[in-house]
Structures are given as structure tokens and as C-alpha cells.
Amino acid sequence: MKPIFESLNISGPTSSFRYFAAEYNKLEPHWHYHPEMELVYIERGSGMRFIGDHISNFYDGDLVLLGENIPHQWISHGVENPPGIVKGIHFSKKIFEELPEFSTLNNLFLEANRGLRYPSPQTPVIHKLREMGKLPPLKRLITFWEILDILSNENRREILSGITFIQDSSFRKNQMRLKNINDFILENIDRKITLDLIAAHTHLTKTSFSRWFQQATGKSFTAYLAEIRIGKVCCDLLQSDQSISEIAWNNGFQNISHFNRVFKSIKGESPGKYKMTYNRSSGNPS
């Protein structure tokens, strides 16, 4: 399935952009894109984030700025308890093009075309995002400008997607296949997924699939599959009471030694240390 075009109504009689805030029990797969830019703040929640060709986990405090037309989705692994909270802004960069004072945002918007993550969002940004819903239209607009100014001057930001996405026929074909592959992996994550199996699923020969996948994502299918499996493992480590070996098995790792090697190569530490580090930094009991 190709990414779905989403039509957004972002402006109104008293606003040139759309601020949103909502609680959710579970973020379901929704692979989509839109011409508007988007700032997304996960105040509470966890799962997997897909931005262009990038896959990673998200947790409380996740802040991402998305450019125009980049496909994206956030997926929860299980029901959030207490409910998750997401806040953000949909906007068109055209509202900043009339005044030369906003030219300092050009580089920020250019980088956002590949998705930008802020690993340690500044407190003023989070406070402003939380309070925007209570402000009258003019103060809300001023606050939005202040947020973008802080983000444009924040050096601690991470570009997510390996490529800039353009809405052409090649893009749509590739994204349709990648979405199909992602769905298949997540639905069969406890199974052994071989190159023969995934190639047959996409109606390609093994050689053609491997060549196409490397060109489309810049990595091998084996590496891609490992990233998704480890991403799901990370969520389960923090949300489940199961043992590490049980979690590994449930996510398709049938050899614990191999699992430990793959986990450390991707995350830089052992599964046990990863869990203790996160619990300690979040204040949760380990």
C-alpha cells in the first residue's frame, strides 16, 4: 500500500496554522504524507517511528519536525496505560515567506525535508507547546514563532531520513513496496523471515529484490529486518515483564547469543543494560 495523501485544513478565520493536542490509547499504522510541515511532540507514549526510510523507537519527550510531503507514521506496541499524549502543529512554510526576518528559518525547513529529531528538547519549547492550546490566536502565533526560532538555533538535532522524498512515480512505487514489506514484517515478527520469503511476497526474484532494496533504502534487507526486530525488542523490554530471552524469541531471534550480538551492534550496549539505563533515566524502578 502506498502512502496515503492526507488533506489537512490548517487555517481558519483566526489562525494561519493548526495546533493539536490529543490523548490516545494506541497509535495504529497510518503511512501518510501531506504538503504541510508538522511538528510532533509525544508528551507520553512509546513505540516505533517511521520517517521516510528511517525506523527508530520513540518514548516520552520525543520531538520531531517534518518537512513537506515526507511519509511518516508512529505505531504503538500495545495499548498505552495511562493513555498516550501527543501535541503538535501543522503549518505551511508559506506563512514565513513574506517577511525577510524569517529567512533564518530556511535552513531549518530544508533539513526538515528529511525529518529532524531533537534528542534533548529545550524546556522553553516543551512549555510553549504544552501551553499553546490555552492562548488567544495572536499570542499563539507569537509563541509558534518563538518555538521555531529556538529550534532553528538548536545544534543538537538529528536528520532522520537518508534521502529527501519527492512525490513522483518512482517514489510512489518504492513506498508502496516498503509499506507492504513493513506490514509483513510486523505481522510476522515472531517468524523466521528469509530473503526467499520476502522476495516471493513482493513478487520479485531474490536477486531482483536484493538489488532493488539496496537501491531504495541504502542498506541490505538483513540489516533492515534486524533494525525493526531490535526496535520492537526495545519497546517490549520497557513495557513487558517477560524475560529477555522470551522477548528475543517472540521477535524472531531463535539464538540468544546471536540476538545479544545484533542488539549490541545496533544499540551499543546489552539488552539488560539498555533496560536499566532507560529505567534509571526515566525514573522508573529497574
Side-chain angles (χ1 to χ4, degrees), residues 146-184:
E146 290 173 341
I147 289 173
L148 289 178
D149 182 55
I150 295 172
L151 295 181
S152 68
N153 290 289
E154 174 57 75
N155 294 324
R156 293 172 297 176
R157 61 194 193 216
E158 171 192 354
I159 294 177
L160 299 178
S161 182
I163 57 176
T164 299
F165 285 77
I166 301 172
Q167 295 296 327
D168 58 17
S169 58
S170 176
F171 163 86
R172 289 191 292 271
K173 184 177 181 180
N174 282 349
Q175 289 306 304
M176 179 171 60
R177 278 184 178 165
L178 285 173
K179 174 62 168 59
N180 186 25
I181 290 167
N182 288 338
D183 288 346
F184 183 83

Side-chain angles (χ1 to χ4, degrees), residues 3-63:
I4 299 169
F5 172 79
E6 188 168 303
S7 179
L8 301 176
N9 183 16
I10 63 171
S11 60
T14 62
S15 180
S16 58
F17 64 96
R18 174 178 175 258
Y19 172 80
F20 61 89
E23 288 192 351
Y24 64 88
N25 293 320
K26 186 177 183 181
L27 295 175
E28 301 285 354
H30 179 48
W31 186 233
H32 67 288
Y33 69 95
H34 40 72
E36 296 78 14
M37 297 187 67
E38 183 174 1
L39 182 64
V40 183
Y41 174 58
I42 304 292
E43 185 169 328
R44 185 173 64 219
S46 63
M48 294 186 70
R49 180 193 337 103
F50 295 74
I51 307 294
D53 65 355
H54 176 86
I55 305 168
S56 56
N57 298 106
F58 70 87
Y59 305 106
D60 296 356
D62 192 59
L63 181 65

Side-chain angles (χ1 to χ4, degrees), residues 119-130:
S120 303
Q122 295 187 34
T123 301
V125 170
I126 302 308
H127 177 74
K128 292 175 187 297
L129 275 171
R130 287 173 173 168

